[in-house]
Amino acid sequence: MARVVVDVMLKPEILDPQGQAVANALPRLGVNDVSSVRIGRRIEIEFDGEPDLDRAREIADKLLANPVIEDYTVRVADAAEVA
């Protein structure tokens, strides 16, 4: 079994209110050295046999991400992530 990881993030020019809320809360926790927080999603797809990155990109583009406001990366999970 092969695992492919898709990371989805808002494009840099898109406002991230969830990330801003986290960044604004950090000083209340005593964390004052963080200038910015962006929130995203991680999706894991398990393929039977070899990982199919082209198929994973197609899934990400058509289903997992909104390409108008989000960017995504697709990669094969490394051994530490699979264990």
Side-chain angles (χ1 to χ4, degrees):
M1 193 172 320
R3 184 175 296 162
V4 173
V5 176
V6 180
D7 292 309
V8 180
M9 296 291 295
L10 286 171
K11 290 185 177 184
E13 62 270 15
I14 302 296
L15 181 66
D16 182 358
Q18 190 176 12
Q20 285 182 332
V22 170
N24 291 338
L26 288 174
R28 291 191 294 272
L29 298 175
V31 179
N32 296 305
D33 56 349
V34 174
S35 61
S36 178
V37 176
R38 306 279 297 169
I39 304 292
R41 297 188 307 280
R42 172 189 165 114
I43 300 102
E44 296 180 356
I45 304 169
E46 291 187 357
F47 287 95
D48 295 328
E50 293 298 311
D52 188 339
L53 292 177
D54 289 332
R55 176 69 77 186
R57 283 186 196 94
E58 180 182 4
I59 293 168
D61 193 55
K62 293 182 178 179
L63 183 65
L64 302 177
N66 178 347
V68 174
I69 62 169
E70 295 173 317
D71 291 326
Y72 62 88
T73 59
V74 177
R75 63 183 171 80
V76 175
D78 62 33
E81 292 175 302
V82 175

